[in-house]
Amino acid sequence: MKNINYDMLASELDAIKMDTLGKVGQQDADYIRSVVRKQRVCEWSGRILLMLGFIQPLLWVAGVLLLALAKILDNMEIGHNVMHGQYDWMNDKQLNSQHYEWDIACDGQSWHRVHNFEHHTYTNIIGKDRDFGYGLLRLSDDFKWRFKNVWQFFTYINLSVLFQWGVSYHELAAERVFIGKKKENREGLVSHSTLKQRFFSKGARQLIKDYAIFPLLAGPLFLWVLAGNLVANLIRNLWTSTIIFCGHFTEETQTFKQEDCVNETQGQWYYRQVLGSSNIKGSHWFHVLTGHLSCQIEHHLFPDMPSSRYQEVAPQVQAVLKKHGIDYHTGSFFKQYTSVLKRIIRYSFK
Amino acid sequence: MMTQVLNQFSKWFLHHQSFAGYIEPVMQVFKPAWRAGQFRAQVVSTAVLDGGFLSVQLKPSKQWQAHTSGQHISLTVEINGRLLTRVFTVASSAKQFKNTGLVRLLIKTNAQGRFTGLLSSALKAGLWCNISAPSGDFVFKNTHTPATFIAGGSGITPMLAMLDDYLGQTTQKVSLVYYAKATEHQCVDELSELAAQFEHFSFLLLTREQSSDITSNIKPWENPDIYCCGPAAFMQTVSDFAKTHKLNYYQEAFGLALPTLNDDSQFNVKINASAHVVSGNDVLLTQFEEKKLPVKRGCGIGICHQCQCIKKSGVVRNLKTGELSDNGEQLIQLCVSQPVSDLELQL
């Protein structure tokens, strides 16, 4: 590791955090509620427009896009951030991390366990953070090359298309609920039967909602609605997967060894969060659509800071990191995504 | 029926406990402070009274069912984006609510208080807040026996409501002994009016300096029912007295005195229905784990929010920020919370 004054780094980043958290208030509460309102409007106008496709197919297209937008807002800006506890200070029962559930196949509490704990605490530590490659892709030399890596680009495409199911199955895969030998050092927080029950219950409800209930409610327009929901889910899957891959798998993002996090200080933890993440530049609405995962570095430094503040703290964080000579990985969407694709292909081979 | 179907639909498919919860932010555009599971109330007027008391007249929405005099409600106010909740006794009678459609709260404010200190700005005439359905069983029990009311400080609030409602329904002797700091007795005009109207009612305004024995004005030989509301030690004294003299005794507890932090202090913690004791020298999560309580440990450093639980009441210090929490209901992270007072938690 470089010669960095970690204590100073920690105190400077802490100062940004405390300063910003001190400002959090009505503005942030109003912001998240306004996103929820937009989500509701998109969802219901989308669902209604899907049924008007028989008048003019373009209405159906608009419906699909609105429904996809609603799902993206729900999953990214609302769900992800609320479940991080970013808005718990509001004491609002509808917007707190203990009860929030999202419009996606993955059971919220399962995600809460794996993502908030494993991924955010042990970011990019090989062997600890299963989000690195999701156990499917080889994205660094830390993993031995296997023959299946040759076609991992197609594995990646499949994962993107079915992303909500990948997220949903994530914890069950780690716990070896269905297949594989249980790892000895892994102490599950929840029993296998609970995991299975929650997995099937949430997944089934999502399938029934999108592919049975709403199509049936549409009567003769069954197929219009069914197809619309399918495409909307697909768009959401591709978008979330793409954004999430840009957050940790650009070529610049680094991995760490388990030894690295033993007795880690706050400063070292911050350092690892920065190097393990990358940002995407964009306009305000772009950041909202990514659930502010485009500010991945800030999100990883301050996972429970309200997302409404990430755009504001980003330049401050960048300035502090620059002062300490620490790289700040950012770039346009095009640049970052190209970089991800290159990395996936690069590590397909030895 | 329709509501039940919608709620079930919301639970299964919209991932909200109720349909109202799902549409809440949209409804709020049309109806400020519209919240699932809560009643709305509009502030009609407020007045600052002696001794730092704030009198608030609220007009609850039509759905709100009248209270029984002496009961309390929880008041939820959004202050700088935070929903803060406190419990207050309704300081007006059910009769007054029937006549005017209004309820009155009499709130002892504290300029440093996290909640009451900010109330006068959050409760301006015309603004909206939320109230709960009334609850509590500190109500008038028996009109056929004499009654003595003993109030300490803001403990006068349930008495005001009860007296207004029941003096007309009884002919038995009713007396009120009201302790407060000099010049801080509330609603003396109202009490005088009641005394003029009802011969069987009398009241005494006292300070602790004038009359240090708070039971000296109880006349056990008249065998009155005792109603008491005030600070914990105050009520304990009256309760002991009533027990000794075999008098019926009813009380309402309220308030919480914040102790200065001492690392070795012990606090009582009520979790769901069970009682535990914790010390101030460690975070709650570790202590609960030692007690084999069903807590979830996540990161242990205040990041992942897995150990989070609902604190119903009491104060904790967040070790990450050094800040003291509110006394009311909110979510806390057990792994970074040090107890600072007795607590009530929901796990």
Side-chain angles (χ1 to χ4, degrees), chain B residues 9-297:
Chain B
F9 182 84
S10 303
K11 251 182 227 169
W12 282 342
F13 302 119
L14 303 175
H15 317 305
H16 277 73
Q17 285 308 302
S18 66
F19 188 68
Y22 176 76
I23 58 169
E24 191 181 278
V26 179
M27 289 299 286
Q28 285 170 355
V29 175
F30 309 101
K31 295 188 160 191
W34 194 90
R35 276 176 231 295
Q38 297 247 28
F39 297 96
R40 295 200 317 148
Q42 190 170 28
V43 181
V44 174
S45 66
T46 61
V48 179
L49 309 175
D50 289 342
F53 277 82
L54 184 70
S55 166
V56 184
Q57 294 274 6
L58 296 174
K59 186 172 174 54
S61 63
K62 282 187 207 104
Q63 295 80 6
W64 193 74
Q65 303 270 321
H67 64 297
T68 305
S69 294
Q71 284 191 311
H72 48 73
I73 56 173
S74 68
L75 170 74
T76 302
V77 178
E78 186 175 15
I79 297 175
N80 194 20
R82 288 170 174 79
L83 291 173
L84 299 178
T85 304
R86 291 290 185 284
V87 176
F88 296 104
T89 305
V90 179
S92 59
S93 65
K95 194 172 76 188
Q96 283 161 337
F97 175 69
K98 210 177 146 198
N99 293 337
T100 61
L102 302 179
V103 295
R104 175 180 64 176
L105 301 180
L106 207 56
I107 300 168
K108 170 89 172 147
T109 60
N110 171 353
Q112 271 80 50
R114 285 244 180 170
F115 182 77
T116 59
L118 303 165
L119 268 187
S120 47
S121 61
L123 289 179
K124 287 225 166 67
L127 294 183
W128 291 87
C129 58
N130 297 107
I131 58 174
S132 69
S135 64
D137 52 8
F138 186 56
V139 295
F140 206 68
K141 307 280 181 187
N142 188 348
T143 51
H144 305 296
T145 50
T148 300
F149 290 76
I150 304 186
S154 47
I156 188 66
T157 49
M159 319 282 181
L160 290 169
M162 283 193 252
L163 290 171
D164 186 61
D165 247 357
Y166 294 106
L167 283 176
Q169 297 176 20
T170 179
T171 50
Q172 298 285 335
K173 220 171 151 187
V174 177
S175 59
L176 165 71
V177 183
Y178 178 13
Y179 279 90
K181 290 189 183 131
T183 77
E184 290 191 9
H185 291 90
Q186 301 300 315
C187 305
V188 178
D189 294 350
E190 277 172 45
L191 293 171
S192 308
E193 256 173 59
L194 288 173
Q197 195 183 345
F198 301 102
E199 269 181 24
H200 54 278
F201 172 63
S202 63
F203 68 95
L204 274 173
L205 304 180
L206 298 172
T207 63
R208 294 296 287 270
E209 292 78 37
Q210 279 172 343
S211 162
S212 57
D213 177 12
I214 49 178
T215 58
S216 60
N217 290 292
I218 305 175
K219 299 169 184 154
W221 58 91
E222 290 178 354
N223 207 21
D225 287 352
I226 308 289
Y227 295 83
C228 183
C229 184
F234 181 94
M235 291 193 294
Q236 191 59 52
T237 312
V238 179
S239 161
D240 291 345
F241 180 87
K243 208 177 275 169
T244 321
H245 293 86
K246 300 204 167 53
L247 301 172
N248 289 327
Y249 175 79
Y250 310 102
Q251 73 166 38
E252 178 79 303
F254 76 100
L256 173 128
L258 190 69
T260 47
L261 182 74
N262 175 346
D263 275 357
D264 294 324
S265 32
Q266 304 273 311
F267 301 105
N268 296 312
V269 180
K270 222 172 102 187
I271 300 169
N272 305 332
S274 60
H276 302 271
V277 176
V278 293
S279 94
N281 60 19
D282 204 347
V283 294
L284 287 171
L285 184 64
T286 321
Q287 302 193 54
F288 289 172
E289 281 174 337
E290 282 162 10
K291 293 179 196 299
K292 304 259 186 296
L293 290 168
V295 285
K296 263 196 245 173
R297 176 177 281 273

Side-chain angles (χ1 to χ4, degrees), chain A residues 26 40 44 88 90 97 206, chain B residues 13 15 22 80-81 83 308:
Chain A
Q26 194 68 50
R40 301 289 187 268
W44 291 98
D88 282 354
M90 288 166 63
S97 59
Q206 285 298 100
Chain B
F13 302 119
H15 317 305
Y22 176 76
N80 194 20
L83 291 173
Q308 189 163 271

Side-chain angles (χ1 to χ4, degrees), chain A residues 99 147 170 209 223 239 258 281 285 291 303-304:
Chain A
H99 299 112
F147 186 62
H170 195 45
K209 168 167 112 162
L223 284 178
W239 175 255
Q258 295 205 24
K281 286 181 190 162
W285 65 264
D304 51 11

Side-chain angles (χ1 to χ4, degrees), chain A residues 156-168 234 237-238:
Chain A
Y156 159 68
I157 299 292
N158 283 331
L159 174 64
S160 285
V161 168
L162 296 170
F163 198 61
Q164 64 165 336
W165 298 102
V167 177
S168 171
L234 176 65
N237 284 350
L238 292 175

Side-chain angles (χ1 to χ4, degrees), chain A residues 83-144:
Chain A
M83 280 153 66
H84 257 291
Q86 294 177 5
Y87 295 93
D88 282 354
W89 56 273
M90 288 166 63
N91 293 324
D92 188 326
K93 289 194 176 68
Q94 314 301 337
L95 291 169
N96 85 67
S97 59
Q98 294 302 289
H99 299 112
Y100 199 85
E101 188 57 71
W102 47 6
D103 182 9
I104 188 172
C106 176
D107 168 50
Q109 294 311 311
S110 166
W111 180 85
H112 205 262
R113 280 187 294 271
V114 181
H115 178 88
N116 278 18
F117 172 38
E118 198 172 281
H119 171 57
H120 272 273
T121 313
Y122 302 116
T123 312
N124 284 21
I125 293 177
I126 304 302
K128 282 271 199 183
D129 175 13
R130 287 190 69 265
D131 276 24
F132 196 80
Y134 303 105
L136 291 171
L137 308 176
R138 177 177 182 265
L139 295 168
S140 79
D141 286 325
D142 301 307
F143 293 91
K144 237 196 261 158

